[in-house]
Amino acid sequence: MDASDIARVQTYLRRLFGTDRISLVRPARPGLSVELAVEDEVIGTVHRDTDEGEVSYAVHLTILEEDLPPAPKAAAAAPGRRRM
């Protein structure tokens, strides 16, 4: 993605999600993925695709297990009637 693509997609994502905390980070070397960040935390990547002359952009979010809140404890099964 070039600088123009990055700026346009960043503007779109900020408007879509209603926040200026989103930013797209240009890779240090050409050919690497553009990173999607919220404030200083990278949450995924953005890729440009051209297929039969049509351009699209794909966002890939990465959620690490360690970043998730604890899973809720399983609810105790309520005693039920046996069906015959």
Side-chain angles (χ1 to χ4, degrees):
M1 290 175 54
D2 64 21
S4 175
D5 290 336
I6 292 170
R8 291 173 55 225
V9 173
Q10 177 177 279
T11 298
Y12 172 78
L13 291 173
R14 286 178 172 181
R15 186 175 60 242
L16 179 67
F17 292 110
T19 182
D20 287 336
R21 296 171 49 202
I22 293 174
S23 61
L24 297 185
V25 181
R26 189 176 192 157
R29 295 186 328 234
L32 297 178
S33 298
V34 173
E35 294 179 330
L36 171 62
V38 175
E39 293 184 339
D40 292 330
E41 183 175 353
V42 174
I43 63 167
T45 56
V46 180
H47 304 272
R48 183 180 194 270
D49 184 46
T50 304
D51 185 26
E52 296 183 9
E54 293 187 11
V55 176
S56 64
Y57 300 88
V59 175
H60 178 89
L61 295 179
T62 302
I63 302 170
L64 301 176
E65 174 71 27
E66 64 193 40
D67 291 337
L68 295 176
K73 296 186 182 199
R81 296 177 128 180
R82 290 182 62 183
R83 292 185 182 180
M84 294 190 187

